[in-house]
């Protein structure tokens, strides 16, 4: 997305929306879920580098960022 921030400068961001369970390693996770998180971290590293090369920032948004109590 491209937007103007409070000081009126134009910013461009590459944003991915993911469930928190796919973005944070927790102690009770199955090995499959841990693998999903590891793949996401590798993908996000590549996305961060790509975004920087193209004058953008990259960030991941979870339900905690979108909703006050973490649920819709």
């Amino acid at each position: 997305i491209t937007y103007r921030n409070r000081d009126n400068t134009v910013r461009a961001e590459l944003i991915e929306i993911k469930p928190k369970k796919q973005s944070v390693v927790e102690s009770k996770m199955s090995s499959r879920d841990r693998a999903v998180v590891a793949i996401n971290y590798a993908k996000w590293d590549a996305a961060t580098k790509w975004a920087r090369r193209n004058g953008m920032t990259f960030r991941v948004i979870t339900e905690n960022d979108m909703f006050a109590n973490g649920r819709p």
Side-chain angles (χ1 to χ4, degrees):
I1 64 170
T2 304
Y3 63 93
R4 288 190 183 272
N5 63 9
R6 290 185 181 166
D7 63 353
N8 208 29
T9 57
V10 176
R11 297 213 30 171
E13 290 192 42
L14 180 61
I15 298 173
E16 181 167 1
I17 301 170
K18 279 285 191 196
K20 184 177 179 185
K21 71 179 185 177
Q22 292 181 5
S23 59
V24 177
V25 175
E26 296 178 359
S27 60
K28 298 185 241 179
M29 292 180 108
S30 69
S31 59
R32 182 185 182 285
D33 289 339
R34 287 179 188 268
V36 167
V37 173
I39 290 168
N40 283 335
Y41 274 102
K43 180 174 62 172
W44 298 334
D45 182 54
T48 299
K49 291 174 183 173
W50 184 90
R52 282 188 191 145
R53 282 194 310 266
N54 289 282
M56 296 183 233
T57 57
F58 172 76
R59 68 179 164 146
V60 177
I61 295 176
T62 67
E63 65 271 16
N64 290 357
D65 300 313
M66 296 174 68
F67 307 107
N69 62 359
R71 292 200 228 136

